[in-house]
Amino acid sequence: MPILTLTTDFGIKDHFVSAVKGAIYTELPDANVVDISHEISPFHITEAAYIIQNAYKNFPKGTIHIVGIDSEHHPENKHIAVLLDGHYFICANNGLISLITSQFNPEKIVEINIHDAIISNFPVLDVFVTVACHIARGGTLEVVGKTITEVKTIKGITPIINVGGTQIVGSIIYIDNYGNLVTNITQKLFNDIGKGRKFKITARTAVFENVYQRYSDAINFEIEKSKREEDGKKLAVFNSSGYLELAIYKSNPKTVGGASSLFGLHFRDTITVSFE
């Protein structure tokens, strides 16, 4: 039985997540359901894409990913099922898949067309679960939808490189649980454009001239602990997903604050990398 994952903006206070799981187990008692996250900011497609992009590849091929973000069905927000990189994704055609597919072309896309057979005002529970369970039983995508060749794309969130290749202008695409700021500048892009040159990263009043591979690399452990600049130290790092991130060492947004609050930066705010 394939694994089914759930990613939603439902939170955990209400009944929605448990209702979806109950519907899956009703159809597939032996199902293996894994929560990726239910704390996506409401309707935040970019945030969901970042989390899914970095989670799905750790699951085995054939995993079925149900994504409940901005999923209400209407003429401008159709539902799709996509086979991508050996994984199945069931979601709204709202641009989310285009953010996940930057490195891969979908192997198959269908626009789900079973809505007339299902009375629903909760599409994740009724439509998405029905499609996911169909796939889990070995069913084909063509049974639940008509084949299409393109998905809706979201533009304007890729970094901009100036003509001379001396500057990358990126933006904040995600703020994690520690208040750290993930940008849309990848380590590969940074290295390809920088070519080993000296650089300066500017984000409002925060300036960085080094990028670390690990958070602890910013700490000089040869200095006596009482004299170190440690907790609260600002730093730039290439995170485990390969993106440039601005952080505060051992931050806590609920007490001392995180990079977002301390730097005054939020989703889609600009960050500039200037090379000498």
Side-chain angles (χ1 to χ4, degrees):
M1 180 65 65
I3 296 170
L4 286 76
T5 77
L6 298 176
T7 305
T8 75
D9 57 4
F10 296 161
I12 55 175
K13 177 181 179 180
D14 301 312
H15 67 281
F16 304 120
V17 173
S18 59
V20 170
K21 289 183 178 180
I24 293 172
Y25 287 123
T26 297
E27 288 207 39
L28 299 173
D30 296 328
N32 187 358
V33 182
V34 177
D35 299 297
I36 290 181
S37 176
H38 297 295
E39 299 292 346
I40 306 296
S41 301
F43 306 102
H44 204 318
I45 295 169
T46 305
E47 183 174 290
Y50 176 80
I51 290 175
I52 295 167
Q53 180 187 66
N54 291 294
Y56 90 84
K57 60 191 70 173
N58 296 290
F59 287 86
K61 300 286 187 179
T63 297
I64 302 162
H65 305 277
I66 297 173
V67 185
I69 309 292
D70 185 31
S71 56
E72 184 175 359
H73 187 256
H74 56 74
E76 296 180 357
N77 202 44
K78 301 293 183 66
H79 294 159
I80 55 176
V82 179
L83 176 59
L84 167 70
D85 192 25
H87 293 248
Y88 293 93
F89 297 85
I90 303 165
C91 60
N93 192 7
N94 53 20
L96 186 146
I97 286 294
S98 73
L99 299 178
I100 299 176
T101 60
S102 58
Q103 295 180 350
F104 302 98
N105 292 319
E107 297 148 53
K108 188 175 294 184
I109 313 168
V110 300
E111 185 177 285
I112 298 169
N113 59 9
I114 63 172
H115 300 82
D116 291 344
I118 298 174
I119 299 174
S120 174
N121 61 0
F122 189 176
V124 176
L125 175 69
D126 302 313
V127 178
F128 290 9
V129 166
T130 298
V131 172
C133 292
H134 166 76
I135 296 170
R137 295 190 190 98
T140 63
L141 295 184
E142 290 82 359
V143 172
V144 295
K146 63 178 182 179
T147 300
I148 58 176
T149 58
E150 296 181 349
V151 295
K152 181 179 179 180
T153 60
I154 295 178
K155 299 179 180 179
I157 59 171
T158 55
I160 298 171
I161 302 163
N162 72 346
V163 175
T166 60
Q167 191 176 79
I168 303 173
V169 179
S171 59
I172 306 301
I173 60 170
Y174 182 67
I175 301 172
D176 71 11
N177 189 53
Y178 301 94
N180 296 330
L181 302 158
V182 180
T183 77
N184 58 352
I185 300 173
T186 64
Q187 183 173 4
K188 183 180 185 306
L189 177 66
F190 188 99
N191 292 338
D192 288 348
I193 301 302
K195 295 181 173 64
R197 292 177 289 174
K198 291 183 179 180
F199 60 86
K200 180 181 292 185
I201 301 169
T202 305
R204 288 190 185 272
T205 59
V207 177
F208 307 81
E209 295 183 340
N210 293 292
V211 181
Y212 301 99
Q213 294 296 323
R214 299 179 302 174
Y215 302 99
S216 60
D217 288 345
I219 308 304
N220 186 350
F221 290 100
E222 294 182 0
I223 298 176
E224 183 182 335
K225 186 173 178 60
S226 63
K227 298 179 181 179
R228 292 178 201 156
E229 183 185 4
E230 191 166 325
D231 291 3
K233 178 181 176 64
K234 69 177 185 180
L235 60 102
V237 64
F238 290 120
N239 67 19
S240 60
S241 301
Y243 289 85
L244 179 64
E245 178 180 310
L246 307 182
I248 297 293
Y249 187 69
K250 291 190 175 181
S251 61
N252 186 336
K254 295 180 181 179
T255 55
V256 298
S260 177
S261 59
L262 296 176
F263 300 159
L265 291 165
H266 306 283
F267 175 65
R268 288 213 170 183
D269 280 350
T270 298
I271 171 174
T272 303
V273 182
S274 301
F275 299 98
E276 296 182 4

